[in-house]
Amino acid sequence: MPGKIYPFWAAGDGACPPEDCGGTQEYLAGLDDASSWKALKDLQTMAEILNDVVLENRPEVL
């Protein structure tokens, strides 16, 4: 309607799970997996490989 002010949410980007994640419970489970100790160990392993390949110039590691 002309002249009527409607409320809107200005800062809601990313405030809910994406549509294709399997629902709220699956989304929360995925967040737990992404911040688990296993994920951090994987990240540490990737950092060690990158160190060998890039900083020490050892492409044979791959």
Side-chain angles (χ1 to χ4, degrees):
M1 298 179 82
K4 184 159 177 131
I5 298 174
Y6 293 96
F8 68 95
W9 188 263
D13 187 37
C16 64
E19 290 184 19
D20 60 348
C21 71
T24 305
Q25 296 302 323
E26 291 295 321
Y27 178 73
L28 292 174
L31 288 179
D32 287 343
D33 289 344
S35 61
S36 69
W37 286 111
K38 184 177 183 281
L40 290 175
K41 185 168 174 67
D42 290 344
L43 185 61
Q44 180 182 3
T45 301
M46 290 184 347
E48 290 170 1
I49 291 171
L50 283 172
N51 181 53
D52 289 345
V53 172
V54 176
L55 297 179
E56 296 179 11
N57 196 20
R58 294 178 45 205
E60 71 275 0
V61 173
L62 294 174

